């Protein structure tokens, strides 16, 4: 277990926020993985699974979190300030990795809410950029101000990672969906407005539990096979969740 200091905080809305911490030089992870992070609250270490937003090569760690007033961790985490301390377990894991899916042309990254978190890491990962011809990030929220990283995704990270931006721009398509403004849910657009080629395209899924299962069921109905690090497939979903 390591302790890092908070260096930056951004509140997207009254429901979500992001923060960065320092990064121990011995902390290693693969794009798409999550870490157990948390705080010491009343003498007890309270930890939850959070996907790492920052790419593996970054000198900092970044996370995206929901705000829950009654959450054991997030009720405190949402009030952190610069220089506060965050606890991070050194071991990372997760199935949202390139190694868990077979080769294809287009990679679809489907998410709801804070399930977006692993996509900025994968999009800025050199292995991902080299492997896929097209990368399509689909992010569904109820209200527009919950579209975390909207500017970064629409500009191919031109402001935050200019050295990679041109390469990302060649590959990335960003598709924001705001259901509170009349957009149809991702599950209602699969194979329609979201023209997924179930033979040649591959899918990663990260969102609320029902969303994950609904998309997985759709994939299976199309003859797609769920993958894992032991046996790659046509789609993968993350089974760990940030505090509810």
């Amino acid at each position: 277990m390591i302790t890092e200091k908070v260096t930056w905080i951004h509140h997207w809305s009254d429901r979500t926020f992001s923060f960065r911490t320092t990064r121990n030089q011995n902390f290693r992870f693969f794009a798409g993985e999550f870490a157990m992070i948390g705080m010491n609250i009343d003498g007890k270490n309270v930890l939850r699974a959070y996907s790492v937003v920052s790419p593996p090569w970054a000198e900092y760690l970044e996370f995206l979190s929901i705000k829950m007033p009654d959450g054991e961790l997030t009720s405190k985490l949402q009030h952190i300030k610069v220089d506060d301390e965050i606890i991070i377990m050194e071991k990372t894991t997760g199935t949202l990795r390139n190694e868990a899916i077979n080769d294809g042309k287009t990679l679809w990254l489907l998410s709801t809410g804070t399930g977006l978190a692993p996509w900025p890491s994968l999009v800025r990962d050199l292995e991902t950029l080299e492997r896929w011809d097209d990368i399509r990030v689909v992010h569904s929220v109820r209200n527009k101000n919950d579209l975390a990283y909207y500017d970064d995704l629409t500009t191919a990270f031109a402001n935050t990672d200019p050295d990679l931006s041109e390469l990302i721009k060649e590959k990335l398509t960003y598709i924001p969906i705001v259901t509170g403004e009349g957009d149809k849910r991702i599950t209602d657009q699969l194979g329609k407005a979201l023209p997924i080629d179930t033979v040649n395209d591959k899918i990663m899924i990260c969102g609320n539990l029902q969303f994950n299962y609904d998309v997985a069921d759709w994939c299976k109905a199309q003859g797609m096979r769920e993958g894992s690090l032991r046996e790659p497939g046509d789609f993968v979903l993350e089974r760990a969740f940030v505090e509810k």
Side-chain angles (χ1 to χ4, degrees), residues 78-218:
Q78 64 185 298
H79 299 298
I80 57 172
K81 296 178 175 60
V82 171
D83 289 334
D84 283 351
E85 292 186 342
I86 299 295
I87 301 166
I88 303 179
M89 299 295 289
E90 293 183 66
K91 179 177 174 55
T92 59
T93 188
T95 55
L96 301 176
R97 286 175 51 185
N98 281 288
E99 292 86 347
I101 46 179
N102 293 318
D103 290 333
K105 179 181 179 181
T106 299
L107 174 64
W108 290 84
L109 304 175
L110 308 181
S111 58
T112 62
T114 53
L116 174 79
W119 305 160
S121 182
L122 279 159
V123 165
R124 290 177 288 172
D125 177 55
L126 290 175
E127 180 184 349
T128 309
L129 291 169
E130 290 171 357
R131 183 176 181 188
W132 303 96
D133 294 336
D134 297 293
I135 303 168
R136 301 183 184 181
V137 172
V138 184
H139 185 207
S140 177
V141 296
R142 179 160 183 78
N143 301 303
K144 189 173 183 179
N145 58 355
D146 287 319
L147 288 172
Y149 301 98
Y150 178 87
D151 290 341
D152 285 330
L153 290 164
T154 53
T155 63
F157 295 88
N159 295 320
T160 51
D161 295 296
D163 292 341
L164 266 182
S165 182
E166 284 303 313
L167 181 55
I168 295 172
K169 190 175 181 180
E170 293 176 1
K171 309 270 187 173
L172 177 64
T173 299
Y174 171 51
I175 306 170
I177 293 174
V178 183
T179 58
E181 296 183 4
D183 292 344
K184 291 184 178 180
R185 298 175 184 272
I186 289 176
T187 48
D188 294 328
Q189 298 191 46
L190 295 173
K192 301 170 186 175
L194 301 177
I196 297 173
D197 179 343
T198 55
V199 175
N200 298 305
D201 296 353
K202 307 305 171 188
I203 303 173
M204 291 188 181
I205 310 161
C206 191
N208 65 66
L209 186 63
Q210 191 60 54
F211 168 76
N212 285 5
Y213 289 161
D214 286 348
V215 178
D217 287 345
W218 181 86

